[in-house]
Amino acid sequence: MNNLQIRILDPRIGQDWPLPHYASADSAGMDLRACLDSPLRLAPGQAELVSAGFAMHIGDPQVTALLLPRSGLGHRGLVLGNLVGLIDADYQGPLKMSLWNRGSAEILIQPGERVAQLVLVPVIRPAITVVDHFAASARGACGFGSTGRQ
């Protein structure tokens, strides 16, 4: 996949604020901005749905997009309400971010602030094969925490 189609929904995207883009040559995620009309104050425990200012269409069933929090903001308490967003290749609607303050102090989000990132990843869709047993492995079937401390 070499092309991600986006449709601008907020005219500030591409004018006042850049299109979604990679901040450096080695960035894995594209920065997404909060398309707000005024600053948003998120109280501890509060979540709000915020527009990224565009709709998107991947169009390739071998690719999906993951919506992730930004590391520094996440450390300070701003994460996504669903923790990770999954965008299917056939979705063509607006991109919205559930911004959640999981911290203990109010968080102020400014219009146009970078609040999340979008990562495109390959999708593997295997056929399901039902078996009577698995070949033995070193890990076995001991369940949750079986490789170390629980």
Side-chain angles (χ1 to χ4, degrees):
M1 176 189 169
N2 292 323
N3 190 19
L4 175 65
Q5 296 178 24
I6 70 167
R7 185 169 43 92
I8 304 297
L9 301 176
D10 186 314
R12 296 173 293 181
I13 295 291
Q15 299 292 322
D16 300 338
W17 308 317
L19 292 170
H21 68 283
Y22 298 97
S24 74
D26 294 332
S27 294
M30 286 184 253
D31 288 330
L32 301 179
R33 296 179 182 273
C35 289
L36 299 166
D37 293 326
S38 60
L40 172 63
R41 295 183 181 281
L42 281 181
Q46 182 182 0
E48 292 291 333
L49 201 56
V50 174
S51 172
F54 63 94
M56 62 181 280
H57 182 219
I58 297 169
D60 181 344
Q62 295 182 338
V63 176
T64 192
L66 301 177
L67 185 59
L68 304 166
R70 296 190 70 228
S71 299
L73 294 177
H75 178 70
R76 292 194 303 271
L78 184 64
V79 295
L80 300 177
N82 56 341
L83 302 183
V84 174
L86 177 71
I87 303 166
D88 294 316
D90 57 351
Y91 180 70
Q92 296 184 11
L95 190 63
K96 295 192 176 183
M97 304 165 287
S98 174
L99 301 181
W100 172 41
N101 180 354
R102 68 167 179 84
S104 58
E106 180 180 88
I107 294 174
L108 178 65
I109 302 168
Q110 296 292 338
E113 184 175 345
R114 296 177 301 153
V115 293
Q117 53 189 330
L118 187 72
V119 178
L120 297 166
V121 296
V123 172
I124 299 170
R125 298 181 71 191
I128 302 296
T129 302
V130 177
V131 298
D132 292 327
H133 62 277
F134 300 114
S137 73
R139 181 167 182 184
C142 295
F144 181 80
S146 65
T147 59
R149 294 179 18 197
Q150 292 184 7

